[in-house]
Amino acid sequence: MLGLFVTSSLFLYVCKKKMKLIIDCGSTKADWVIIDGVNILKRFKTEGFNPNYTDKDTITKIILNESSYKEYVSSISKIYFYGSGCGNIDNRIKVKEILESLFVGSEAEVTHDMMAACRSVLGNESGVVCILGTGSNSCYYDGETITEQSVSLGYILGDEGSGSYIGKKLLRDYCYKIMPEDLCLKFENEYDVKLETVIRSTYHSAQVSKYFASFAKFAYDNIENKYIYDLCSRCFDEFIDNFVTRYESVKKRDVGFVGSIAFYFQNIIKERLERRGFVLGKIVKEPIDGLIEFHCC
């Protein structure tokens, strides 16, 4: 009888320690899912971060401020973290150290958001995958590894076609009075765009890309306006020219996307791709959905 109790306890302990935590972390928000192999035990969102711009103490505070996962801390044996800004080894080490210090006894695998996009859209298939959310990027994936990737210059020099890029263009056009007058009035009614606010939020904020991206909703809500439609078309053309045409085999394959901008603006993206001879493939708004399927085993 005692042997049965010990065996049962051991079985429960082993099952308990097989829990996995999947985190898909962007610059603005992060999706968290805790699974026990095949079942979703907990799913929630937290504030996001980018280790390129966010220091170790701030990242730690962001994670500690969330209480939803804490009942499972001792049960999680494996963490899969996919994050913006985790393309370089130093940032991956920084995030790994933070996670393993907070989830004692767990092993953290830290990689970048591009791998999250690949596994979410293609699983174990090969092809071209693009990110269009707050930021933007693309790569070629062979089904296991990323064999070629575009250079990501961030919201200051790059991120063409992203939410921050579209928002920055809108904000600039408003300030320069390039935006049509009727749209200027609507813009003013929806946002605090006094010059001092714009300057402060642009040059004295820790999350400038998030600030710029907040204006992308205005573009979506007013997409029937010719000025907005043309502005977005130019932004997506720049994205395609810089992030899609670089891959030699791209015209033989569909182009897959992840991210809210890709999801909400997919009609324009489809049109701009087809103008260049490309075909729009699978679009995933939330990469976490594909990652759950990928890691449930």
Side-chain angles (χ1 to χ4, degrees), residues 20-24 31-44 80 82 116 119-121 284 286-297:
K20 302 174 184 177
L21 169 61
I22 307 167
I23 307 172
D24 177 39
D31 287 297
W32 295 53
V33 174
I34 299 171
I35 59 176
D36 65 359
V38 294
N39 301 305
I40 297 174
L41 303 177
K42 196 85 173 180
R43 181 170 181 165
F44 54 95
Y80 297 96
Y82 301 86
R119 289 176 173 175
S120 182
V121 173
V284 177
E286 303 283 351
I288 195 69
D289 292 324
L291 292 173
I292 293 170
E293 182 179 350
F294 185 84
H295 288 293
C296 271
C297 59

Side-chain angles (χ1 to χ4, degrees), residues 80-279:
Y80 297 96
F81 182 94
Y82 301 86
S84 297
C86 289
N88 70 68
I89 186 66
D90 289 339
N91 284 346
R92 290 199 294 272
I93 291 173
K94 177 165 72 173
V95 174
K96 179 180 174 67
E97 288 176 348
I98 293 170
L99 290 171
E100 291 183 347
S101 70
L102 297 177
F103 295 83
V104 179
S106 67
E107 178 188 359
E109 177 187 303
V110 179
T111 187
H112 44 83
D113 52 353
M114 203 69 246
M115 183 59 78
C118 292
R119 289 176 173 175
S120 182
V121 173
L122 295 174
N124 294 312
E125 301 297 323
S126 62
V128 176
V129 177
C130 304
I131 292 176
L132 272 181
T134 300
S136 63
N137 207 339
S138 74
C139 74
Y140 188 85
Y141 179 65
D142 68 3
E144 291 185 5
T145 61
I146 293 171
T147 58
E148 189 178 356
Q149 184 171 350
S150 296
V151 175
S152 179
L153 297 176
Y155 71 91
I156 295 177
L157 292 178
D159 276 350
E160 291 88 345
S162 68
S164 63
Y165 194 78
I166 292 171
K168 181 167 61 176
K169 294 283 189 183
L170 285 172
L171 189 59
R172 186 201 62 179
D173 281 8
Y174 168 80
C175 292
Y176 283 159
K177 303 303 179 187
I178 295 172
M179 183 184 290
E181 187 175 350
D182 59 329
L183 285 178
C184 282
L185 293 173
K186 291 181 71 173
F187 204 60
E188 292 168 358
N189 287 333
E190 292 188 30
Y191 304 99
D192 178 4
V193 284
K194 294 188 291 291
L195 186 58
E196 58 268 27
T197 301
V198 172
I199 297 298
R200 183 178 66 253
S201 299
T202 300
Y203 295 102
H204 304 283
S205 170
Q207 293 188 313
V208 183
S209 61
K210 181 178 179 180
Y211 171 66
F212 288 154
S214 68
F215 300 109
K217 182 179 183 300
F218 185 84
Y220 176 74
D221 291 341
N222 296 277
I223 197 63
E224 300 301 324
N225 183 283
K226 185 179 186 304
Y227 157 79
I228 296 289
Y229 190 91
D230 290 346
L231 182 146
C232 290
S233 294
R234 291 193 299 271
C235 290
F236 294 132
D237 283 345
E238 290 183 66
F239 173 82
I240 294 166
D241 291 341
N242 290 312
F243 289 91
V244 177
T245 59
R246 60 177 290 126
Y247 305 108
E248 291 184 6
S249 61
V250 67
K251 289 194 176 182
K252 300 176 184 178
R253 298 177 179 274
D254 296 352
V255 183
F257 286 83
V258 298
S260 56
I261 295 298
F263 181 82
Y264 286 113
F265 291 88
Q266 58 184 281
N267 291 336
I268 302 181
I269 294 170
K270 181 175 185 292
E271 176 194 310
R272 306 321 291 182
L273 283 170
E274 290 176 348
R275 282 175 176 262
R276 286 165 169 72
F278 305 125
V279 177

Side-chain angles (χ1 to χ4, degrees), residues 49 54-66 69 98-99 101-102:
F49 57 83
T54 314
D55 61 47
K56 198 169 184 177
D57 288 342
T58 303
I59 293 172
T60 301
K61 287 177 183 177
I62 289 172
I63 296 174
L64 287 175
N65 282 341
E66 177 57 48
Y69 66 84
I98 293 170
L99 290 171
S101 70
L102 297 177

